[in-house]
Structures are given as structure tokens and as C-alpha cells.
């Protein structure tokens, strides 16, 4: 999706530095302490599910997805999702998520989890998970734990501890105790 002034396309390795800078500007250093971030620590994002919004070669927004394990299955964690401060409210965030969701539907995953504001993520189909069904290792407000089923209704029935899917960076092997 795009309008006349911006386009959505798959992320490439050349986008990495700009995406990292956008996430740092959008979330600040506090992002490293969040439970969702710790599930990403030492794990690479899912190749093929990262998308960027650009205009004239400039990065306006980015979404990435991480693999996680829930109840013995690999599923997806959405985020970080960020849109440059001066470009918000134009539909870029929704378009980025929709591109990622459409691509994820072609893969093996049953669903996508995230921690965020339900009124926003409901715009692309997320809804609150039943309380107590899935657990993060760290503190998370249950009202912000949302899920989206990619195939049928499976995401609403998943249960268990959410863990890191694997460890790609051996330096992080035991740093979060989530593996
Ligand atoms: C959240 C964020 C990605 C939204 O991007 P965006 O491109 O401005 O969003 P869109 O233009 O696609 O959607 C805008 C719509 O969502 C609504 N919206 C935006 N943030 C919302 C929120 N937190 N709760 C409810 N609604 C929200 C807007 O009011 C607007 O509604 P409308 O279409 O009815 O007018 C952007 O504000 C951002 O980067 N924020 C900082 C980083 C962040 O918090 N990321 C999300 C957590 S991972």
C-alpha cells in the first residue's frame, strides 16, 4: 500500500542503520528493559517480514517481527513498529503492519502476539488474549497482550509461557534467562 508521497517495501540489509536509528528515536533507551524486547535479545528478526515505508529514499517507518515460542510452537511477535514523528497519522503504521501480516499468512505460523494499545492494533485485526492464557517472563499488563490468528482462530486458544524462539547470538545465550 502507498499514497502518492510514500511507499511500503520489504526491508533490506541496507536499511538496517536507519531502522535502528528510528527505533532508538521512537522508543529511547528504556526499550531494552521491556519484556517484549528481552524476547528479541540475541535473536534475529524473521527474514522476509520486515517492511519499511520510504519517501524519496528517506525512511519514514519500519516494522519487524520476531520469532517466539509459545506452548511448544513457533509464533510471531510484532514490533518494533515505528513511524517518524513528523509523518504520523497518515496511515503508514497500519500499512506497514498490514504488509507484514499479509506476508506472515504465507508462512508456517499460527498467529502473531504483541504488547500494545488495543484500540490501535484492532484496526488490523488484533484482539485481547484471554487473561492468564499466555505468560511473559517479565511483567506485562494483561490488557495489552493482544493476538491475531493467521490461519483460523488458533491464536485465541494458545497457552503457555512465551519464550525466545532460539538464540542466534551466543553472547546473549543466558543473559535474559528466557531461552
Ligand atoms: C504507533 C505509531 C506506529 C502509529 O503510526 P501512524 O503511522 O501514526 O499510525 P496510522 O496513521 O497508521 O494510524 C493512525 C490512526 O491510529 C490511531 N492511533 C495511533 N496511535 C494510537 C494508539 N496508541 N491508540 C489508539 N489509536 C491510535 C490514530 O488516532 C489514527 O486514527 P484514525 O485513523 O481514526 O484517525 C506511531 O505513532 C509511532 O511510531 N509511535 C511511537 C512508537 C510506538 O509507540 N510504537 C508502537 C509500539 S511497538
Amino acid at each position: 500500500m502507498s499514497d502518492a508521497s510514500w511507499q511500503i517495501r520489504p526491508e533490506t540489509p541496507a536499511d538496517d542503520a536507519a531502522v535502528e536509528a528510528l527505533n532508538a528515536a521512537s522508543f529511547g533507551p528504556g526499550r531494552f528493559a521491556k519484556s517484549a524486547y528481552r524476547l528479541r535479545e540475541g535473536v534475529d528478526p524473521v527474514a522476509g517480514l520486515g517492511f519499511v515505508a520510504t519517501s524519496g529514499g528517506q525512511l519514514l517507518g519500519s516494522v519487524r517481527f520476531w520469532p517466539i515460542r509459545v506452548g511448544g510452537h513457533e509464533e510471531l511477535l510484532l514490533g518494533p513498529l515505528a513511524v517518524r514523528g513528523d509523518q504520523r497519522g497518515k496511515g503508514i503504521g497500519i500499512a506497514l503492519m498490514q504488509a507484514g501480516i499479509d506476508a506472515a499468512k504465507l508462512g508456517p505460523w499460527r498467529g502473531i502476539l504483541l504488547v500494545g494499545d488495543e484500540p490501535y492494533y484492532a484496526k488490523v485485526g488484533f484482539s485481547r488474549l484471554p487473561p492468564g492464557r499466555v505468560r511473559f517472563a517479565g511483567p506485562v499488563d494483561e490488557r495489552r497482550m493482544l493476538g491475531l490468528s493467521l490461519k483460523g482462530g488458533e491464536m485465541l486458544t494458545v497457552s503457555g509461557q512465551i519464550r525466545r524462539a532460539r538464540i542466534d547470538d551466543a553472547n546473549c545465550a543466558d543473559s535474559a534467562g528466557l531461552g
Side-chain angles (χ1 to χ4, degrees):
M1 183 188 159
S2 69
D3 75 4
S5 59
W6 50 269
Q7 298 81 40
I8 303 288
R9 63 162 173 78
E11 181 185 339
T12 72
D15 297 314
D16 191 59
V19 170
E20 293 293 342
L22 175 65
N23 287 334
S26 302
F27 299 103
R31 69 192 187 282
F32 297 118
K34 290 191 172 159
S35 297
Y37 179 85
R38 299 186 71 199
L39 289 164
R40 302 180 186 121
E41 200 173 14
V43 186
D44 294 334
V46 180
L49 294 190
F51 286 85
V52 293
T54 61
S55 176
Q58 286 205 16
L59 183 81
L60 305 187
S62 155
V63 68
R64 286 171 165 174
F65 292 77
W66 252 262
I68 51 173
R69 286 192 78 74
V70 197
H73 291 265
E74 185 175 307
E75 308 293 357
L76 296 170
L77 181 71
L78 188 153
L81 167 71
V83 173
R84 220 171 73 182
D86 61 352
Q87 300 292 326
R88 293 180 188 165
K90 298 179 174 180
I92 295 175
I94 299 287
L96 283 166
M97 285 194 287
Q98 200 58 62
I101 292 165
D102 290 347
K105 281 182 179 162
L106 305 175
W109 308 279
R110 296 182 303 174
I112 307 174
L113 294 177
L114 66 82
V115 180
D117 295 338
E118 186 193 12
Y120 181 60
Y121 294 100
K123 291 174 189 283
V124 290
F126 282 87
S127 57
R128 245 185 238 187
L129 293 174
R133 198 67 76 66
V134 299
R135 297 179 305 282
F136 275 80
V140 170
D141 180 348
E142 287 215 324
R143 290 166 302 179
R144 294 170 54 78
M145 286 180 49
L146 311 178
L148 172 74
S149 292
L150 292 168
K151 306 280 192 305
E154 303 96 324
M155 217 53 205
L156 293 175
T157 61
V158 294
S159 62
Q161 181 82 30
I162 303 178
R163 299 177 186 281
R164 282 192 289 185
R166 59 173 177 271
I167 294 164
D168 297 319
D169 176 356
N171 292 325
C172 296
D174 55 11
S175 59
L178 299 169

